Amino acid sequence: MKKTIVLLLTAAVLVSGAAAYATGALTGESLISKSYLTGTYVPDVEKQVSQRVQERTEQVYQSALTALNQAHSAYLAQAGSGGTAGTGTYASALADLRFKKGDVITLSTGSGGMLLAGSGSVSYAGGAVVDVTAGETIPSGSALALRHRYLAGENTTASLTITSDTAVLSVEGYYSLAPSGSVDYNALADALFEMGLFQGSGTTYGSGYDLENPTTRIMGVVMFLRLIGEEQAALSSTAVNPFVDTPAWCDRYVAYAFEKGYTNGVGESPSGALYFAPDRQISAEEYVTLILRALGYTDSGAAPDFTWDTAVSRAVSWGLLSSGEQAMLSQSQFLRAQVVYLSYFALNAPMKGGGVLLDRTVSSGGLNRSQLEQVMAAVTVPRL
């Protein structure tokens, strides 16, 4: 439509230019040369017309967006004053909430949502759901686009279903939740955070957990050192860092982990330089290997207890993992959510020499065992 308008207006303006050129040609004294007309005049006219159309189109778009936002605000005001716009929990402004796979969040007329992490879909039986960011309605069954603002239209009940293991959804207006029975990785992250064994990545939404993202090797080592209560020992360590590819912020972590034999890096160059590959994604086998080492098992020497490629299967036989958890690790992408899961349940895993990992965590970290156990007692997440 925009292109058609440009062409029509350009044509109208060019008629006058062509007439002037034709008049000059008939008298033998052309007022405008043909090269000027085709090389300068016509492109300039097209540019000016296109600019005017763009300005006008932007005005129309902004006017439509303003009207839509006003309608949205009216719906929210009606809901807040006890009107009939919706029922359930009410959020007067976009509020970031964490959900798990299979959770269904229902939005009533005038309510909205924005997916910040993870994946989900929207469904509705009648009415319309508007993708405000894209400026269009979307069909029922559509996948939610990240950071797009969605609005339930008039006489519409929209259901947002979480399809990833975890997700962060910002909701506004009236909403209700139908929770699923899926693994609640969010609750496990909350517990580890409260215990001081897990920290967010600094992301400003979803508590900063980033459970939807992969874990790098350096993140895995840091999480592991916290889990066994040795983070402070690492930070105060004077060990030499043998790796040439680690940034300054993690220097003490990798130096300490190498000295303790917790990690050996990924190899060395022909010149003998050692590499850690801090930004490479850690695998389930690598993280389970770290935990098995913490439990007293070895994967080196003349008679190792396990090798990295048998770490998961051996972890099942030693009580660190269940067969259901082994299947989960083989079928799912290894994300921060799975790191949290393994870390939390490893605290009660049996040590090779007796006791459980929590004993080592408390002893090494100087932590209050009763406080940690009180936090764990409140967790109701079943194991797979």
Side-chain angles (χ1 to χ4, degrees), residues 144-155:
L144 299 175
L146 285 173
R147 296 175 180 81
H148 277 222
R149 182 181 176 187
Y150 295 92
L151 176 67
E154 189 173 3
N155 299 320

Side-chain angles (χ1 to χ4, degrees), residues 175-253:
Y175 69 93
S176 60
L177 170 65
S180 72
S182 298
V183 176
D184 194 349
Y185 297 99
N186 301 306
L188 299 179
D190 285 337
L192 287 174
F193 182 82
E194 188 174 353
M195 297 164 74
L197 304 179
F198 176 68
Q199 295 180 16
S201 62
T203 301
T204 57
Y205 56 80
S207 302
Y209 290 165
D210 279 340
L211 300 183
E212 301 74 25
N213 295 339
T215 298
T216 61
R217 281 172 49 81
I218 184 55
M219 290 178 183
V221 168
V222 172
M223 180 66 205
F224 164 74
L225 291 176
R226 288 176 182 150
L227 186 67
I228 62 176
E230 296 182 19
E231 181 178 20
Q232 292 307 312
L235 292 175
S236 60
S237 170
T238 58
V240 176
N241 178 5
F243 303 108
V244 299
D245 62 340
T246 53
W249 75 265
C250 64
D251 176 78
R252 293 300 81 207
Y253 289 106

Side-chain angles (χ1 to χ4, degrees), residues 70-286:
Q70 289 176 344
H72 182 208
S73 298
Y75 279 131
L76 292 179
Q78 182 184 14
S81 62
T84 59
T87 57
T89 304
Y90 178 71
S92 59
L94 287 171
D96 300 345
L97 302 173
R98 296 204 59 87
F99 297 99
K100 61 184 184 300
K101 190 172 186 177
D103 285 352
V104 179
I105 303 91
T106 300
L107 305 176
S108 54
T109 295
S111 299
M114 179 186 295
L115 185 68
L116 298 177
S119 61
S121 62
V122 60
S123 61
Y124 56 95
V129 171
V130 179
D131 181 338
V132 179
T133 305
E136 61 185 12
T137 59
I138 59 172
S140 179
S142 297
L144 299 175
L146 285 173
R147 296 175 180 81
H148 277 222
R149 182 181 176 187
Y150 295 92
L151 176 67
E154 189 173 3
N155 299 320
T156 302
T157 299
S159 296
L160 309 183
T161 302
I162 304 303
T163 56
S164 52
D165 286 334
T166 62
V168 181
L169 181 70
S170 192
V171 296
E172 182 179 21
Y174 271 108
Y175 69 93
S176 60
L177 170 65
S180 72
S182 298
V183 176
D184 194 349
Y185 297 99
N186 301 306
L188 299 179
D190 285 337
L192 287 174
F193 182 82
E194 188 174 353
M195 297 164 74
L197 304 179
F198 176 68
Q199 295 180 16
S201 62
T203 301
T204 57
Y205 56 80
S207 302
Y209 290 165
D210 279 340
L211 300 183
E212 301 74 25
N213 295 339
T215 298
T216 61
R217 281 172 49 81
I218 184 55
M219 290 178 183
V221 168
V222 172
M223 180 66 205
F224 164 74
L225 291 176
R226 288 176 182 150
L227 186 67
I228 62 176
E230 296 182 19
E231 181 178 20
Q232 292 307 312
L235 292 175
S236 60
S237 170
T238 58
V240 176
N241 178 5
F243 303 108
V244 299
D245 62 340
T246 53
W249 75 265
C250 64
D251 176 78
R252 293 300 81 207
Y253 289 106
V254 293
Y256 178 84
F258 180 79
E259 182 184 54
K260 288 290 187 179
Y262 298 148
T263 181
N264 300 315
V266 297
E268 61 181 87
S269 68
S271 63
L274 293 180
Y275 289 87
F276 182 77
D279 296 326
R280 195 181 78 184
Q281 183 174 348
I282 195 171
S283 67
E285 290 79 10
E286 288 175 313

Side-chain angles (χ1 to χ4, degrees), residues 357-381:
L357 183 58
L358 182 63
D359 300 327
R360 176 175 180 175
T361 303
V362 171
S363 175
S364 299
L367 304 176
N368 186 311
R369 187 186 187 97
S370 62
Q371 290 181 354
L372 299 187
E373 290 179 336
Q374 184 177 3
V375 173
M376 296 178 72
V379 176
T380 58
V381 179

